[in-house]
Amino acid sequence: MRTVNSYVLELAHIVDPTTQAGVEFTGATICTVRGSRFTAQRIVDVYNEARLLLINALRSNYPKPLWASTLQAMIIAKTDVTFAAGVASIPSDCLEVMTLENVTGDTIAVLPYTAHATVKRLESAANMIVLTWNNQFVSPHGNTYVPDLATYVLRYLKYTPWTIANVTGLTATELIDDDMGSKLIRIATMIANEKGRLEIETIVKQLIGGKNVAI
Amino acid sequence: MSLSKRFTVQRFYEQAISDLGIDKNNQAYVQRLELISNVSSLIGLSFYDIWGQYYITNINLNPDTTGKYSTANTGTWTAATGTLVFNDMNVDFGTGDVGKVIIFRIGALVYIGTIASYVNGNTVTVTGHNMPTSNGTVDYVMVASTTPTSDEAYIGDLPINRSAPGMRMELETTATQDISLVTINDLSKFITDANKNVGKIIWALAGDYLLMKKHDDLTSYGTLTYRYPRVPIAVTADTDYVDLPDGTAIELALLKLKKLIMQRNGLQPPDYTNETMAIIQALYKVQGQEITLDEIREKAKAIA
């Protein structure tokens, strides 16, 4: 895996290779000054937009086992999720829940609130359920079956956009492999060159279609 | 006892979602017990002609739960006469206890037999298999009321497959060898003191009840064992075993479960019709039973 700095620099060399003064960007100077076309923030925004587009294209075009394997570096565990009165907050950087478990590893099913009417009666100590709404996990029966504890383990797909500081800091690592990284640069290039959204998404699907991922 | 010895609910469900490549965060997972129970029922009953024999179940009919038990001290067992004496029962033995099941403990050994005759309030004789062959001190006694006190026995709470093709319900008794199933009409005409009916018990099925009549020479209906074809047992926990025979039944059930899981998730379920038809055809061939192509299609359509 490469650094965010190297990817943004690669993108800049394609779409905006020099500063306003005509000096070619390097790893040390990228995003410290604006380029000929883009401000530092704009090029980071373009990069983030491409990143999110790629992630969402993987999630919508591949079954979970496949994209979860591709994006494994972005899946993290939060081991101190706290339920009180059957309610816990969903982390703000959570893009998608992978699993929610208690400390002994028992599965807690995470369902959308639309399932409330049909699943409420099925909740039990052996069949724990939480529904998602209002940016929270909510158990249909309060803390009866999901007791008040601070040891629940949430594994989720984490997404936070990179910042200028991540680029200039030189150390932040992009959490996708080099193959996906090259696709990411191509997508970012299209966005920077203001290709139409439909065209971009069509190309994205073609790009990710060739990925051979072991489950 | 469930028929499968390999597939618990957990294992069965996890195999289905592994095949489909989906995880547990969905409505189908939460409803897995109901789904698997429904699938077991569908597959079990759709092919009852093949594996119905495995669902035949015996049960002792207990008309009531008021039994008797020893409360203190010990009693005696006399091997030569099969006599059990226990003075401290919660209720003394009576003539109505003849034919009831009796369980008694001598040291580390527990015996189960049938009360053969009443001697007095503290004494009965007992017959059965593997009775103690030497005299001993009886530590504990329990008597279960398995002899009907009336001419009917309630069976409404039994999971009977009342539409089982070619399956007979049978009733046996310790009171006589001559017991037979009749119609309700024949039951009503039975004369309890006629010479021709000596030693006979007849029974008929009437909704949730077994109706019985016996000749007057029989003191009781004895201990009744009812043998019936049951429906597949519903599962209630992840550790329960699926009530289908291992092998083809499980394969068919797995196809159906996968389809239901996809439907519950709002996804297009795969078409397993051809696969299902092939399994059904092979199943009947192995069993040496005839089945037409139309019948195969009908069964596949119902479950695929």
Side-chain angles (χ1 to χ4, degrees), chain A:
Chain A
M1 291 182 179
R2 290 164 49 185
T3 63
V4 177
N5 177 280
S6 73
Y7 276 120
V8 173
L9 180 64
E10 184 179 342
L11 173 63
H13 279 171
I14 298 171
V15 301
D16 189 14
T18 65
T19 68
Q20 271 191 314
V23 178
E24 188 175 302
F25 278 117
T26 66
T29 59
I30 187 69
C31 286
T32 60
V33 293
R34 66 159 294 154
S36 303
R37 287 177 70 190
F38 303 119
T39 62
Q41 187 60 56
R42 176 59 187 153
I43 198 134
V44 171
D45 288 345
V46 166
Y47 181 79
N48 281 327
E49 190 179 342
R51 190 162 167 258
L52 196 55
L53 205 76
L54 179 63
I55 291 168
N56 286 337
L58 285 169
R59 288 168 62 211
S60 54
N61 288 285
Y62 279 103
K64 208 167 188 177
L66 277 176
W67 67 252
S69 176
T70 304
L71 301 175
Q72 52 83 23
M74 298 175 65
I75 296 171
I76 67 158
K78 179 175 168 62
T79 58
D80 58 352
V81 173
T82 302
F83 271 87
V87 177
S89 298
I90 300 175
S92 57
D93 54 0
C94 174
L95 201 57
E96 182 159 342
V97 171
M98 305 302 288
T99 60
L100 177 64
E101 298 170 344
N102 62 15
V103 70
T104 53
D106 301 321
T107 296
I108 302 173
V110 180
L111 304 178
Y113 192 77
T114 47
H116 179 263
T118 46
V119 303
K120 181 178 177 180
R121 65 177 174 87
L122 296 172
E123 192 183 14
S124 67
N127 203 23
M128 294 176 284
I129 304 166
V130 292
L131 306 165
T132 53
W133 66 288
N134 195 26
N135 214 33
Q136 293 175 317
F137 297 121
V138 180
S139 171
H141 292 93
N143 59 4
T144 304
Y145 303 116
V146 182
D148 295 346
L149 292 167
T151 52
Y152 291 93
V153 179
L154 173 67
R155 289 183 178 79
Y156 64 96
L157 181 68
K158 174 178 173 168
Y159 174 80
T160 45
W162 299 119
T163 63
I164 290 175
N166 292 133
V167 177
T168 60
L170 300 176
T171 57
T173 304
E174 182 53 78
L175 299 172
I176 53 176
D177 61 36
D178 292 355
D179 180 42
M180 280 289 134
S182 69
K183 295 177 169 59
L184 174 59
I185 295 301
R186 289 182 64 185
I187 297 167
T189 303
M190 287 190 291
I191 296 172
N193 291 332
E194 297 182 8
K195 296 286 185 189
R197 191 69 176 190
L198 189 58
E199 185 183 350
I200 292 174
E201 287 179 355
T202 304
I203 299 293
V204 168
K205 276 191 191 172
Q206 289 174 359
L207 282 173
I208 66 174
K211 174 74 175 171
N212 186 20
V213 178
I215 297 175

Side-chain angles (χ1 to χ4, degrees), chain B residues 86-119:
Chain B
F86 211 106
N87 295 333
D88 294 287
M89 299 291 291
N90 70 320
V91 176
D92 281 350
F93 294 120
T95 53
D97 290 331
V98 172
K100 292 186 180 180
V101 170
I102 183 168
I103 300 174
F104 57 97
R105 181 172 68 85
I106 296 179
L109 300 176
V110 178
Y111 303 91
I112 182 167
T114 306
I115 295 178
S117 67
Y118 163 82
V119 178

Side-chain angles (χ1 to χ4, degrees), chain A residues 64-65 98 107-111 115 118-119 121-122 126-127 129, chain B residues 20-34 238:
Chain A
K64 208 167 188 177
M98 305 302 288
T107 296
I108 302 173
V110 180
L111 304 178
T118 46
V119 303
R121 65 177 174 87
L122 296 172
N127 203 23
I129 304 166
Chain B
L20 294 172
I22 62 176
D23 60 24
K24 288 181 179 179
N25 284 329
N26 56 71
Q27 193 162 321
Y29 171 73
V30 170
Q31 296 169 325
R32 63 194 181 284
L33 296 178
E34 290 182 349
D238 284 326

Side-chain angles (χ1 to χ4, degrees), chain B residues 232-247:
Chain B
I233 302 168
V235 291
T236 57
D238 284 326
T239 49
D240 286 349
Y241 284 86
V242 177
D243 194 16
L244 288 170
D246 288 319

